[in-house]
Every structure is written in C-alpha cells, then in structure tokens.
Amino acid sequence: MRTEEAIRLVTAARTDADLFGTQEPARRYRELVGALHPDRLGAADPGVRAAAAAADALVTVTTRWRTPAPMYAGDVADLHDHGDGRLLKVARHPGDNDLMAREARALRRIAEHGDARHLAYVPRLVDSYPARDPSTGVQRQVNELVTVPGLHSLDDVRRAYPDGLDPRDAAWMWRRLLVALGLAHRAGVVHGAVLPRHVLIEPDAHGVVLVDWCFSAEPGGLVPALVPGHEDWYPPEVAAKRQCGPGTDIAMAARCMTWLMGDRAPRELRAFADGCRGTALATRPDDAWRLLRELDEVLHRLYGPRTFRPFTLNP
C-alpha cells in the first residue's frame, strides 16, 4: 500500500470497518502502519509527512479503542498492549490529560539528561499525542511506552509475602529503586508518587522499573495531586502544597521498603529508613546516589559482602 493511498483511506474512514475492513483487520492494520511509517517517507513533501503522521496516530489510537479491555487500570489511565513491546497508556478522563503530559515531559527529560547506563530503570517514551475517541468525540492524551516484560509491583510482592519480605531480598529492591531515583533527580525530575504500585520488579534478573510519572514535578515545584487512597503515604509537603524535592521521593521509597519488610526489618534498616523520613524536607537526604552508598554500608555490616540471592514470588 502506498503512503498516499493510506492517508486517503484513513482520512475518509468513519468506522472501524472502513479503516480495517472485516475480513483481515490485522493484515490491514500492518499495511497501514507500514505505509505511514516515517522511515517510508524519505524526502517526501513536508505536507505529506505531516498528513502521514496524523493518519498514523489515528490508526494507532483507533486500534486502542477496538481493544475490549485494558491489560491494566492505573491511577489516571488505562494501559493497553499495542504489540511489538509497546504499551498504549490512555487517559481515562480528559481532565487528566495534563497529568499525562507531565509524564511525557518527565520521561523526555530523563532520556535527554539522564545517565544512559540506567535508563532501563524507567519506561521509554516512544510518542505522546492527543487522540479523539471515534465513538464519543472525547479527546484524551496517549503516551506510547516501552519497558521490559515480566514485571510485578511491590503490591504483588507483599501479597506473596504477607508476613514480611526477607530484608536480604528487600535490599536489592531498595538499592535499585535508589538508582532509579538518582537517575531522575540528576535529570531534574521528582517522581512525586513513589508507591508500591509504581515500583515494578523483574524477579529473575533483579530488575526494577519505576513507572507512572504522571505526578512528577521539578525540584522546588509542587506535586500536582495525591493518588486517591494513598494519602497517608506522602510526606507532609505534598498535602500542604509546599515545594517538593528529591527528599520527597526518598522518604516515600523508605516507606515502601519498611512496609515491604514489615516486622522482619532489622533495627539498623529501620533506623536508616527513619533517617530518610524526617518531617521537614530540609532534614532528609537529597542525594540518592550518596544514600545508596550509605545503604550499602549498612547492608555490609548486617550481611557481609553482597551476593546474588535468587528471588521468587511463590515462597
């Protein structure tokens, strides 16, 4: 299918059947995406390139609207598997489009200014664009993301270990979470919602990915909202609409880890966490990389040299 033909087809379509047909919709979808892909356009006229980009966005989003159910319902958006390792994150309500835009800005900034060695600790933003629901006309923001498969939240971990996680297992999760925060803070981004549901782990490889950057802010800015039902997880400056900073995230990360370990947390790790959770932002650590070194010292005193400890969600 030629690019011009694909543009005409998408522009004229009024229904899903017009766009994808009824016999082989998956094949038609692949043909459209291939014809509209930027790599196919070369030195095409700028007008053609713009029309193709708009048509490609419509094809992508229309595919999302045809999906019967999201694979995951987040705080402000639904997440759909788009194939090829990509996820479509679509705002559930138009009033949250601004939060989706915050996420896109944060991930772009981290990708541009963060240490490339650690970018796998956050999702990769492929694209961000407004999309109109063809059935209602409502416009919602879409963030197209890529991350590694096989992830589980800290909520999942706590459900698997209701009596508390072994601190030796919590140790690698805490360490890698501090890497994710160090990456973001050095790039000038505060996550603003470090909650168990937003900290994802890959059990076999001991990976961590910090997701949902919709509540992010710049250091010195304001966290825009609190995740409903989690108000007591936040340090005081967030609810009081005072300036946030790296210490905001560090405090919430410490809360996640003590919650995960429960009564199994040793005194030394509880004391370390308490030092991260001072009432005032100015009293907390504000350098996640330095804090990681301090955590390593505590862990070494407790458990000796670091070794790989296999982890499973089925104890």
Side-chain angles (χ1 to χ4, degrees), residues 247-261:
T248 304
D249 288 343
I250 286 171
M252 298 187 76
R255 169 74 187 277
C256 287
M257 292 301 139
T258 54
W259 170 82
L260 201 59
M261 291 181 286

Side-chain angles (χ1 to χ4, degrees), residues 190 192 217-223 237-238 242-248 281:
V190 174
E218 294 182 1
L222 303 181
V223 174
E237 66 270 12
V238 179
R242 296 196 298 265
Q243 292 181 344
C244 69
T248 304
L281 179 61

Side-chain angles (χ1 to χ4, degrees), residues 10-233:
V10 173
T11 303
R14 293 295 178 266
T15 68
D16 288 354
D18 291 343
L19 188 57
F20 298 110
T22 58
Q23 299 301 315
E24 295 181 277
R27 178 184 177 189
R28 173 65 65 81
Y29 167 74
R30 289 192 296 269
E31 290 176 347
L32 288 169
V33 170
L36 297 169
H37 195 280
D39 291 347
R40 282 280 303 272
L41 303 182
D45 179 90
V48 173
R49 296 181 67 88
D56 185 45
L58 180 58
V59 170
T60 297
V61 176
T62 301
T63 304
R64 173 261 180 244
W65 298 123
R66 298 173 75 245
T67 303
M71 60 180 290
Y72 178 76
D75 300 317
V76 301
D78 294 327
L79 207 61
H80 298 258
D81 187 354
H82 186 51
D84 300 326
R86 292 182 294 169
L87 301 172
L88 289 185
K89 183 174 179 178
V90 185
R92 194 173 303 112
H93 303 292
D96 291 328
N97 286 345
D98 62 325
L99 298 179
M100 296 286 288
R102 277 180 178 262
E103 175 173 72
R105 286 195 301 270
L107 293 177
R108 285 193 186 101
R109 186 173 182 86
I110 293 171
E112 292 171 2
H113 301 286
D115 189 328
R117 295 174 298 174
H118 306 302
L119 291 179
Y121 285 80
V122 302
R124 178 170 64 87
L125 180 72
V126 177
D127 202 357
S128 180
Y129 43 82
R132 194 172 302 278
D133 185 337
S135 63
T136 66
V138 172
Q139 185 165 286
R140 296 183 175 93
Q141 190 70 17
V142 178
N143 289 343
E144 193 172 331
L145 306 169
V146 173
T147 190
V148 296
L151 298 174
H152 302 270
S153 73
L154 294 190
D155 281 334
D156 297 331
V157 176
R158 183 60 192 261
R159 279 191 289 268
Y161 294 86
D163 296 327
L165 183 65
D166 190 309
R168 292 170 296 178
D169 295 318
W172 66 259
M173 300 178 195
W174 201 345
R175 293 189 73 259
R176 283 158 177 74
L177 179 53
L178 287 175
V179 172
L181 294 179
L183 167 72
H185 297 164
R186 288 283 173 89
V189 178
V190 174
H191 183 274
V194 184
L195 300 167
R197 64 194 303 167
H198 298 155
V199 181
L200 308 185
I201 68 161
E202 198 291 305
D204 293 339
H206 286 193
V208 164
V209 181
L210 183 57
V211 302
D212 204 340
W213 294 79
C214 291
F215 304 93
S216 59
E218 294 182 1
L222 303 181
V223 174
L226 285 72
V227 175
H230 293 75
E231 291 83 359
D232 62 345
W233 282 80

